[in-house]
Amino acid sequence: MHSASRMLRAAARSITVHATVLCVTVLPVILFSRLLHAEGPLALLYAWTGLCSSCIFLASTPLSSSSSTIGLKRRLRTVTTVCAAVFSLVAVLVVLAQVNVARRSLAEAWLELARQGRAFGFFSFFTTEIYALFCLAQALLLGARKYLSFVICATVTNLLCAGIILNRPVLLLLTLAGVFLFFLVSTPKQSGVRMSTLIKSVSFPVASGLALAILLALFSIGENRPRQLFKTPDLSALFVRLAPSFPLMRDVPGYGFSAGSADMPDSVYLSQRILFNVQGAPYALHYLADTRYRTWNGRIWTEDPDAGETLPLVIANGTHHGGLRLTLVDDFHSAIPTEQHTTSAALSADAPAKATFTRNKGIRFEPSARRGLVAYLLTDSGLHATVRPDDPQYFTNLAAYTSEGGPASSRLVSLARELRQRSNNSDREYLRLLLDHFSQGYRYSLQTARQNTKADTIDDFVFDGKQGFCLYFASAFVLLAREGGLPARLVEGFRVELDERGLGTISGSNAHAWPEVWIDGEWRIFEPTPPYTADDPFAYLGDDDQSARRQLEDLFGKPDKTTTQRPALKTVLIAAMQFATAAALAATALYFAKRKKGKLRRKAARMVSYYRKRGVSGPEIIGWIKWAEEVNRREIRKKNTADQAAEVAAAMIEAAYGEGRN
């Protein structure tokens, strides 16, 4: 009786302690996420924090040597220790990977809003993840019964986060120094044991903070990574491949691919995450430029350093009527793409203070713009050219778009000369021949078919692989246009076509690259990527290229399969049910037919056995007809037995040979 009550009290005490630990670790994370208006898988984060803190607490709790179940507790402690180590290691690696790919501009934009009390979005969730890692140390200290260290760790954690978010580093340092100084001064000098215990208790949070600071330096945020000091891996390419919709990377140029990366990408992974909502004229087609490139070194493109003229940019206090309207849907973005002929723009009142608008680089923000920003792009048809034809710098500026670049391959030079000769020195005819060249014999795919990884990527695409996405078609067009003597440049951005209501969205599927060629006194857009101009965009796809098919379906809708249309699922199900019903009926009929024949055979066997004992040879010797006649001639003990024998004989003959045989 007493042992049962002790067990109940121990269980209640254990439940109370675990509930306290969960409140100490999970509740601050919940409050922190609510305070920052975090958006993401919060339930998963809360569950992980509770599970991990429980394992850490159990792993760090001292064992009682007087317990009769010491062996079981040791095994349980081993299991929880392994689980705590695995959970903690995975969590740290996940957070460090996100730190590695997060854009600095996004962090700056989020911090500015957080200091104004307007933080939100996935970056708030990311910050909550880091805060949860700090809170796990509290479970470890509670399990080890280091309550003084627990108080210091909790204080340091909250002061550290508050100091970083509120941008009060001096106050943070003074507060931390005052906390440590208070505990050191309040401890008597003659108490050496207490001093050593205090040093041990405060060493853990200090060491953890230093270790985290070193790790953050190794995996410092995005483009601010100190590559010269630390050889840290750049995980952006891996995230683009595995999770192209990851919110912390949303200001990557090209939204999933970029000509200015370390090398021309062999593949592209486009996100379905919506970036902008667009409103304009019904059925209008818009090419919105994000980045322009000028120099090609044989391997990658370099961004055009010429920003162009500064264009008017105003802040609209109310609704601005006219022009193309773009509304930012994503959390943050560092730029607003603009059309080539956009001559002025108006932004909503929540736009960042530092915003610039130039003709070649579009609208750029510092820090990034936040969700809900509205931009109105206005066009003046009279202002198209970057420079006037009578400007003395006219020829110098355009020469840079023909001369700057690596040496073109001999095959590209030969192809340009051949097409130039066929054009009769007509620039328009030469460009038309270039478009015709890429519309025949090429396949559109989000995966290139490079034949030689060491060869020139564009040369290999034009003559050997003949498979790629818009970046390859546009790059080849620019190089061939330059070989033909025409100034040309590469543009990355978004291509969006509005519906009958004048509405549209921009996502990863709209990411596009195209060439701009200087002709007739202005920069003109050309479209060499075949699916974007063909009547049947899907004619340029491989049969098993599902990723490219999904992208084109997002842009142009699903193809009209009139001849090779697969049967609808409902039709297939109905046909399958009809077949199953017919098969069941046939099986039932066959079963009863076999059952009837079996009954007949059993009855015939009994009668044959009965008369064989009375001297009548079996039908296998004399036949069924003779057997029935012989039975009829014999003296019958039972009434109607002869008639039954005749019926059985006739039935067996019919079953064996069919009706009418004897």
Side-chain angles (χ1 to χ4, degrees), residues 324-337:
L324 185 67
R325 171 176 170 155
L326 273 67
T327 304
L328 182 60
V329 177
D330 206 4
D331 291 350
F332 300 99
H333 203 65
S334 60
I336 296 292

Side-chain angles (χ1 to χ4, degrees), residues 39 109 113 118 120-121 273-278 315-320 325-336 346-352 365 368-376:
E39 299 175 10
L113 290 175
R118 298 188 296 150
F120 72 98
R273 186 183 179 94
I274 297 178
L275 191 61
F276 292 97
N277 286 330
V278 187
I315 303 298
N317 295 325
T319 303
H320 195 92
R325 171 176 170 155
L326 273 67
T327 304
L328 182 60
V329 177
D330 206 4
D331 291 350
F332 300 99
H333 203 65
S334 60
I336 296 292
L347 303 178
S348 56
D350 56 347
F365 300 109
S368 297
R370 59 163 293 184
R371 181 195 303 169
L373 174 78
V374 179
Y376 299 90

Side-chain angles (χ1 to χ4, degrees), residues 22 65 129 346:
L22 290 178
S65 58
E129 289 180 300

Side-chain angles (χ1 to χ4, degrees), residues 535-614:
D535 294 334
D536 182 11
F538 302 91
Y540 292 90
L541 300 180
D543 295 335
D544 56 347
D545 195 345
Q546 297 301 322
S547 57
R549 182 174 296 275
R550 284 193 296 268
Q551 185 213 4
L552 295 186
E553 287 178 353
D554 290 341
L555 296 176
F556 307 109
K558 294 186 177 181
D560 183 16
K561 301 180 181 180
T562 55
T563 57
T564 60
Q565 186 176 8
R566 296 180 180 179
L569 179 60
K570 183 178 179 180
T571 304
V572 173
L573 292 177
I574 292 176
M577 292 177 62
Q578 292 176 347
F579 176 79
T581 303
L585 292 176
T588 303
L590 181 62
Y591 169 76
F592 283 107
K594 288 184 176 181
R595 184 178 180 182
K596 183 178 180 181
K597 290 182 179 180
K599 185 177 181 181
L600 176 64
R601 290 192 186 98
R602 289 191 295 272
K603 183 177 181 180
R606 288 195 299 269
M607 295 189 69
V608 169
S609 176
Y610 174 80
Y611 286 106
R612 183 180 285 116
K613 294 178 181 179
R614 287 158 178 75

